[in-house]
Amino acid sequence: MLGIALVVLVVVAAVGGTAYLQVGRKGATTPAYVVERENWRRVADGLTRALAAGDEEGFVRPFAAGEVKERQRLVFRNLLKVPWETARWEVSDSPLNGRLRVDFVHQVKDVDNLPIAEEYGWQVLPVESGTEVITGVGAVRDHQGKSLDAGYYPAPWDVYDDLSVRVRDHLVAMADKGQEAELDRDVDVLARAAGDDLAAWQQYAPVPADGRRGARGFFVVLEKNREVYNKLYQGDGKQDDSLEAGVNMPVVAAEGRPGARRAAARRAAARRAAG
């Protein structure tokens, strides 16, 4: 039979990870570096504008034809279904050895107190080489080729071909289209649980301090496939605990690099694991 568990992902401001070990590149000011960085910022800004305008062709334009472009077409369609308060792409560096870290900075409406950053690792060509300059999309990886723990790739919009999203007060719940019946069955139960939890927090929570504040809502993902479950927010190669049906995870806020204050927005992933 299938078991259900809830995972609460607390968005906190914390130290972010490095991208492709680009240590020592901070502050690079050579003309070529600056030009390429600004070129990629314009590409990222183009994605932001395309999503805001619902412009699918504009969104997929910089991705290489074939599998990469078609995958990002599905990502775009998934992103349109999520109630965003903030959704933008940011580039703070230029490519190194054809790889570039890009942050998808996003805030789910009525859930996240602050924007958080999902880190993408793009394989790229020089911007001036043509229009289809992003040849691969994946996680940011360390020198051993492993996904960075603080990158939070892949998110549900990256994993699923067709994302189903349901919105209730203080709840955004989602699942793969193939699990939509279960999502519809459970969403109102989850919404009541979210309301009860928030009410209890408001009644018994300590006085806010150091920028901490209670959650605005919950972000829930239903997933019953163990292989997919293991990848969500963690990438490939993570250890599989066959008894685990859910896990608590801290999430780095977009402005949560060193010295930033904490936020207390909460996310939840209800994952179904075979048991």
Side-chain angles (χ1 to χ4, degrees), residues 4 148 155 163-164 169 172 199 201 245:
I4 298 178
L148 292 182
L163 187 65
S164 292
D169 289 343
V172 175
W201 176 260

Side-chain angles (χ1 to χ4, degrees), residues 198-242:
L198 289 171
W201 176 260
Q202 291 165 2
Q203 183 174 357
Y204 298 109
V207 176
D210 299 328
R212 298 180 179 91
R213 60 188 187 274
R216 295 171 62 183
F218 293 86
F219 181 96
V220 177
V221 182
L222 296 178
E223 179 52 61
K224 62 184 177 182
N225 183 303
R226 169 63 67 174
E227 183 177 353
V228 177
Y229 165 88
N230 288 338
K231 289 182 179 180
L232 277 169
Y233 298 106
Q234 299 185 90
D236 297 319
K238 303 302 181 181
Q239 186 174 357
D240 177 19
D241 180 351
S242 61

Side-chain angles (χ1 to χ4, degrees), residues 40-63 72 75-76 79-80 84-91 102-107 120 122 134:
W40 281 107
R41 285 179 175 173
R42 284 193 287 272
V43 172
D45 289 345
L47 298 184
T48 301
R49 290 193 301 271
L51 180 62
D55 179 4
E56 182 174 309
E57 293 306 318
F59 186 88
V60 301
R61 187 173 296 120
F63 296 95
Q72 294 309 302
V75 170
F76 175 82
L79 291 172
L80 285 179
W84 301 114
E85 187 166 331
T86 298
R88 67 180 184 270
W89 283 260
E90 293 184 353
V91 172
V102 180
D103 290 343
F104 173 42
V105 178
H106 58 279
Q107 182 176 5
Y120 285 94
W122 285 354
I134 306 167

Side-chain angles (χ1 to χ4, degrees), residues 5-258:
L6 288 180
V7 183
V8 179
L9 305 181
V10 183
V11 178
V12 298
V15 178
T18 57
Y20 300 115
L21 298 181
Q22 294 184 359
V23 178
R25 301 190 75 211
K26 182 179 180 180
T29 57
T30 63
Y33 172 93
V34 172
V35 168
E36 188 69 354
R37 183 187 61 196
E38 293 307 308
N39 285 340
W40 281 107
R41 285 179 175 173
R42 284 193 287 272
V43 172
D45 289 345
L47 298 184
T48 301
R49 290 193 301 271
L51 180 62
D55 179 4
E56 182 174 309
E57 293 306 318
F59 186 88
V60 301
R61 187 173 296 120
F63 296 95
E67 183 178 353
V68 174
K69 187 182 292 288
E70 295 314 306
R71 179 74 249 169
Q72 294 309 302
R73 191 180 299 279
L74 297 178
V75 170
F76 175 82
R77 293 173 183 175
N78 285 338
L79 291 172
L80 285 179
K81 301 173 184 177
V82 182
W84 301 114
E85 187 166 331
T86 298
R88 67 180 184 270
W89 283 260
E90 293 184 353
V91 172
S92 59
D93 215 334
S94 68
L96 176 64
N97 299 326
R99 296 184 293 186
L100 177 68
R101 189 190 108 180
V102 180
D103 290 343
F104 173 42
V105 178
H106 58 279
Q107 182 176 5
V108 178
K109 187 177 181 180
D110 295 328
V111 172
D112 297 322
N113 281 335
L114 291 174
I116 68 171
E118 178 189 6
E119 298 176 1
Y120 285 94
W122 285 354
Q123 283 288 143
V124 300
L125 301 172
V127 172
E128 64 270 16
S129 65
T131 57
E132 297 179 337
V133 291
I134 306 167
T135 60
V137 177
V140 176
R141 301 185 183 277
D142 62 18
H143 66 284
Q144 296 179 324
K146 296 182 179 180
S147 303
L148 292 182
D149 290 339
Y152 312 116
Y153 174 91
W157 39 84
D158 305 300
V159 171
Y160 300 127
D161 291 345
D162 191 356
L163 187 65
S164 292
V165 179
R166 301 291 183 268
V167 179
R168 300 290 188 272
D169 289 343
H170 307 295
L171 173 72
V172 175
M174 59 185 61
D176 175 63
K177 184 74 172 180
Q179 299 176 55
E180 188 174 63
E182 293 157 303
L183 175 63
D184 287 334
R185 181 194 67 195
D186 295 339
V187 64
D188 290 323
V189 175
L190 293 169
R192 287 195 297 272
D196 291 344
D197 189 64
L198 289 171
W201 176 260
Q202 291 165 2
Q203 183 174 357
Y204 298 109
V207 176
D210 299 328
R212 298 180 179 91
R213 60 188 187 274
R216 295 171 62 183
F218 293 86
F219 181 96
V220 177
V221 182
L222 296 178
E223 179 52 61
K224 62 184 177 182
N225 183 303
R226 169 63 67 174
E227 183 177 353
V228 177
Y229 165 88
N230 288 338
K231 289 182 179 180
L232 277 169
Y233 298 106
Q234 299 185 90
D236 297 319
K238 303 302 181 181
Q239 186 174 357
D240 177 19
D241 180 351
S242 61
L243 300 178
E244 179 189 277
V247 62
N248 292 340
M249 296 174 61
V251 179
V252 179
E255 296 180 359
R257 271 69 184 187

